[in-house]
Amino acid sequence: MKENNTLQNNTDQQHSNISTPEITQLIRQLTVQSSGGEQLSTSSIHKFWSTQPVPQLEEQSTALDEGPIEPNKDPEDIRKQPFPLLPQFEWTECDIENQEELEEVYQLLNANYVEDDDSMFRFDYSGSFLYWALRAPGWRKDWHVGVRTVSSKRLVAFISAIPSTICIKGQQVQVVEINFLCIHKKLRNKRLAPVLIKEITRRVNQRGIFQAVYTAGVVLPRPVARCRYYHRSLNPKKLIQVGFSRLGPRMTLSRTIKLYALPKDITIVGLEPLSPQQLSSARDLLAKYLTRFKLSISFSLEEFSHWFLPRKNVIYCYILKNEEGVVTDLISFYELPSTVIQHEKYKNLRAAYSFYNVATSVPLESLMQNALILAKQEGFDVFNALDLMENETFFKQLKFHPGDGFLHYYLYNWRCSTLPPSEMGLVLL
Ligand code: MYA
């Protein structure tokens, strides 16, 4: 979530390609370390995850057994009642079309959602972002699952699913994307997360879906990919003041500001915000591009419109078209601010996150430089990107630096060999 200051000036070293077996080994080591150093099996470390249809950490997969881990359930075998909660809690469906209930989800996440390891920054998804993210085509209110206290009706936990289609090594799979799992800080470590996960699984299974995709900072059984965040300073002074980045050795603030300066205006003539007329052409461009990756998302036209049509303070998307009006290039980024947890002057950090980018008529590097210029014009402090798709190819030239955060990608009930970030064509919010 922030720049890894010890590595800030060693970006080159970070660009080495880690091989798939190395990633698997690294994940194992991390798991053993986090369990205190002894050699433990997944079942003794992960009481819950060892019971779930996910590849276990010590498991060796081969190309032969890729696919569902357990078969789809018969509707009669799917539990009818919600899983029991302790008597002081009750299930609720959060109606995010109701402003008050959307605000409750916002407040829960604002105070309790993901923080960096040093608890300096916490994701601050806005209400309008949540409204967008949770209302993807095919969304269902009963997949916006909350837990309230019986006494005060206060919302204390949340988990969500939205429908989606992914393509894994050429095979289209109906999945849900699971996101925004959050438990109030005071209720942590009480094994409530497994109950939320089992309950959302039950509700999704009831609709005939048996696979899911999700991401997490933590290592669980078992990542299909491990991606790293890279950061590009847009407002270096503020980033240094809030402790997101540090001055490099032999650097002054004014030299740093100069280093990250960008042209005031975009340098690619014709770059324009995506509008409804270009949806179909832009979708086709992205769909074709995504076939390059082993794990990618498939957007229907309706989904593409939902995810890419610009919404102020939520999603930004620009395209270039040729003389025939065919979209040839696309850039997109979403807005996800973070709360600066304890700072006298600054309360938040405005971050843009790279979404999907396709370059065919101009070099990707110059397209992304224009993304930085546009993000700067919009007042963002930093531009973040994962090292997936072709992103690594522009990091060095455009002065991105590796962060201290990793993002692990997971598939539920689908066995798949570990993939390097460059094989990933999927960005979750
Ligand atoms: S990732 C974002 C997760 N949220 C946060 O990090 C916000 C801040 N943290 C919290 O709110 C809590 O710490 C959470 C855990 C809620 C994360 N994903 O209740 P516990 C396992 C999955 O005592 P708590 C996102 O939203 C942990 O290994 N499991 O723990 C995607 C242990 O299991 P095991 C996690 O700290 C979510 C068990 O929970 C995660 O109070 C995808 C302990 O439970 C995690 N991020 O609460 C969910 N963190 O003993 C899976 C810990 O086995 C979806 N745990 O190690 C699966 C697919 C479901 C649908 C399937 C449909 C077919």
Side-chain angles (χ1 to χ4, degrees), residues 2 28 30 40 44 46 88 90 96 98 102-103 115-116 123 128 165 168 209-210 284 312 317-318 322 324 378 389:
K2 62 181 182 306
R28 278 203 199 115
L30 283 168
L40 296 171
S44 53
H46 294 291
Q88 56 272 43
E90 63 188 26
I96 45 122
N98 171 318
L102 177 62
E103 180 65 18
E115 295 178 5
D116 68 312
F123 283 145
S128 44
T165 306
I168 315 171
I209 297 178
F210 298 91
D284 291 351
K312 182 91 184 131
C317 179
Y318 297 83
N322 64 16
E324 287 83 51
E378 291 284 349
M389 290 183 268

Side-chain angles (χ1 to χ4, degrees), residues 38-46 57-58:
E38 323 144 53
Q39 203 66 40
L40 296 171
S41 68
T42 311
S43 55
S44 53
I45 308 169
H46 294 291
L57 291 168
E58 62 274 12

Side-chain angles (χ1 to χ4, degrees), residues 33 35 74 138 146 171 180 216 239 249 291 294 296 321 386 414 422:
Q33 279 162 14
S35 70
D74 282 332
Q171 198 171 340
F180 306 117
L239 294 179
T291 59
K294 292 217 167 101
S296 65
K321 49 187 201 286
L386 289 163
W414 194 275
S422 59

Side-chain angles (χ1 to χ4, degrees), residues 97-169:
E97 293 195 309
N98 171 318
Q99 192 55 41
E100 275 171 30
E101 294 191 31
L102 177 62
E103 180 65 18
E104 283 183 291
V105 176
Y106 169 74
Q107 291 298 347
L108 174 73
L109 298 180
N110 171 267
N112 301 281
Y113 202 50
V114 178
E115 295 178 5
D116 68 312
D117 288 344
D118 308 316
S119 295
M120 292 172 73
F121 307 99
R122 182 165 55 240
F123 283 145
D124 180 24
Y125 287 89
S126 67
S128 44
F129 190 109
L130 293 170
Y131 186 79
W132 172 66
L134 294 172
R135 284 177 71 269
W139 71 279
R140 307 178 52 90
K141 195 172 100 175
D142 62 335
W143 288 356
H144 299 161
V145 183
V147 172
R148 292 185 188 279
T149 55
V150 171
S151 54
S152 67
K153 304 290 179 209
R154 185 167 174 196
L155 186 69
V156 291
F158 185 73
I159 191 166
S160 68
I162 52 166
S164 180
T165 306
I166 57 170
C167 188
I168 315 171
K169 301 188 178 172

Side-chain angles (χ1 to χ4, degrees), residues 203-334:
R203 292 176 186 218
V204 169
N205 286 168
Q206 277 183 329
R207 303 292 151 196
I209 297 178
F210 298 91
Q211 271 75 35
V213 60
Y214 49 101
T215 55
V218 291
V219 178
L220 304 163
R222 191 180 73 183
V224 62
R226 172 179 167 87
C227 297
R228 185 167 202 176
Y229 276 114
Y230 280 69
H231 310 283
R232 204 302 182 173
S233 298
L234 300 175
N235 185 354
K237 186 174 175 193
K238 177 172 168 187
L239 294 179
I240 291 166
Q241 283 178 336
V242 299
F244 184 92
S245 17
R246 249 186 261 159
L247 268 188
R250 296 179 300 282
M251 283 297 274
T252 60
L253 184 57
S254 64
R255 280 176 66 196
T256 306
I257 291 171
K258 235 183 240 157
L259 179 70
Y260 291 113
L262 287 161
K264 282 239 159 350
D265 278 317
I266 52 169
T267 58
I268 300 176
V269 182
L271 204 54
E272 58 178 276
L274 174 70
S275 65
Q277 299 86 283
Q278 298 117 15
L279 280 172
S280 163
S281 178
R283 189 207 84 105
D284 291 351
L285 174 77
L286 180 60
K288 183 166 176 229
Y289 176 67
L290 289 175
T291 59
R292 288 195 197 181
F293 304 99
K294 292 217 167 101
L295 177 54
S296 65
I297 187 149
S298 301
F299 292 114
S300 67
L301 189 57
E302 192 192 2
E303 288 168 332
F304 184 83
S305 317
H306 177 83
W307 291 122
F308 289 86
L309 274 180
R311 295 176 189 228
K312 182 91 184 131
N313 298 123
V314 175
I315 176 74
Y316 301 78
C317 179
Y318 297 83
I319 54 109
L320 257 186
K321 49 187 201 286
N322 64 16
E323 281 162 10
E324 287 83 51
V326 175
V327 176
T328 52
D329 305 78
L330 174 145
I331 44 183
S332 56
F333 51 90
Y334 61 85

Side-chain angles (χ1 to χ4, degrees), residues 321-379:
K321 49 187 201 286
N322 64 16
E323 281 162 10
E324 287 83 51
V326 175
V327 176
T328 52
D329 305 78
L330 174 145
I331 44 183
S332 56
F333 51 90
Y334 61 85
E335 174 158 354
L336 168 50
S338 278
T339 302
V340 183
I341 292 175
Q342 273 181 327
H343 199 269
E344 305 120 24
K345 182 166 171 199
Y346 293 111
K347 297 279 165 274
N348 71 36
L349 202 62
R350 279 192 71 205
Y353 284 74
S354 173
F355 198 36
Y356 294 89
N357 310 297
V358 189
T360 68
S361 81
V362 292
L364 180 61
E365 187 186 314
S366 79
L367 199 64
M368 292 312 295
Q369 193 204 26
N370 280 263
L372 298 176
I373 297 168
L374 289 159
K376 175 84 185 162
Q377 285 176 351
E378 291 284 349

